[in-house]
Amino acid sequence: MFGTTTRRTRYIVDGHLTPAPQDVSITEALTFAERTPGGTALCLFPRATGQEIAELAAAWHLHPLLAEDLRDAGQRPKLERYGDVLFVVVRAAHYIDASEDVKLSEFHVLVRPGTIAVVCQDGRWIDGSDAADLPENTVDTVARGDETLLDDPRLLMLGPEAVLYRLLGAIVDGYDPVLRGLTVDREEIESQVFGGDTAAAERIYHLSREVIELQHASSSLADIIASLRAGFDRHSTPTPLQTYVQDVADHLARVSTRVAELREALSQILNVNGTLVAQRQNEDMKKISGWAAILFAPTLIGAIYGMNFDVMPELHWALGYPLALGAMAALGGTLYAVFKLKKWM
């Protein structure tokens, strides 16, 4: 006997939401899908507990390895089939502008005839919001979260695979605002670099790391979509779903191109920053070398006349001291003028 759960259940009949009991069990959801023509049951797990995963594994008769994967977050994005159950691990992304961080949210999706289960491993929804805020079992409204997956009746008439593809499409759509945020930060970094801000390098490295994380997530999703498309004929995927996945793949290809361009742009900015830093250091070295040469001239004269030999010219000459000082000043001034003319000073 299983205890209370935070699971959300949605019943779909002929592409439209229909009332689901507030405390419906996973077994009852399966029964609904099996006995209802055109019916699909969607089970959302905002913060799945070990107890909920055990209930899901028992009701769906999941393979032990699959049940273990569901219990362990941090899985690599992948697509696997266990009999009539399709298992997909994907990662959504959202951008936190204040800290310039890309946060990835891991989702485990299980699909079988008539039923789909979505496990939010990080407790976040696709847009980064708290998955626990998703509405309870209801048909009165297509609320936030529901409109992400359940707002296309014609597509939903095609079964639980349609919900999976809608989820993949929503994840790909979520990459766009992340890219916009990263692009704005890249433009700000460019201004920092050309403005001589010494903190620009650290920000470039940080942003590059976030772009790489997004690139890994998008490239892994591209592999998953390619695997799904490769199985269209074998699993008799309806043409409308094939068309929808093709559109998602096209969008993802554009995202991947933009991510690659952004990574390349950051690499170029880093090179430019290194060049500008080296140039500023070179200018500093010119100034240091120039002042060293200017100070060396009076030091040389002073060193010669500080050797304290008894027999030296001008030692007892009355004008020796002022002439020595004058020579020091004249030589130093001449060097300063030469260096100034060469823009070393």
Side-chain angles (χ1 to χ4, degrees), residues 163-205:
V163 181
L164 169 63
Y165 296 157
R166 286 285 292 164
L167 176 68
L168 298 180
I171 288 175
V172 173
D173 290 341
Y175 291 155
D176 282 333
V178 176
L179 280 169
R180 285 196 295 271
L182 292 172
T183 300
V184 169
D185 291 333
R186 187 212 67 197
E187 293 170 352
E188 293 176 354
I189 287 175
E190 288 177 346
S191 300
Q192 277 187 280
V193 167
F194 290 107
D197 190 340
T198 56
E202 181 179 355
R203 193 177 178 190
I204 293 172
Y205 283 121

Side-chain angles (χ1 to χ4, degrees), residues 105-116:
S105 303
E106 182 178 340
F107 294 89
H108 291 187
V109 186
L110 298 169
V111 182
R112 61 178 294 169
T115 314
I116 179 172

Side-chain angles (χ1 to χ4, degrees), residues 288-304 327-328 331-332 335 339:
I288 293 172
S289 300
W291 283 112
I294 291 171
L295 294 175
F296 175 73
T299 301
L300 177 63
I301 296 174
I304 292 174
M328 293 179 185
L331 190 54
L335 289 174
F339 294 147

Side-chain angles (χ1 to χ4, degrees), residues 193 204 268-281:
V193 167
I204 293 172
Q268 293 177 356
I269 293 172
L270 185 61
N271 291 334
V272 170
N273 184 65
T275 301
L276 292 177
V277 169
Q279 184 179 6
R280 287 193 292 269
Q281 290 176 341

Side-chain angles (χ1 to χ4, degrees), residues 45-48 106-108 118-125 131 134:
F45 295 83
R47 296 184 181 276
E106 182 178 340
F107 294 89
H108 291 187
V118 179
V119 181
C120 307
Q121 290 288 0
D122 298 299
R124 293 190 294 266
W125 191 232
L134 291 171

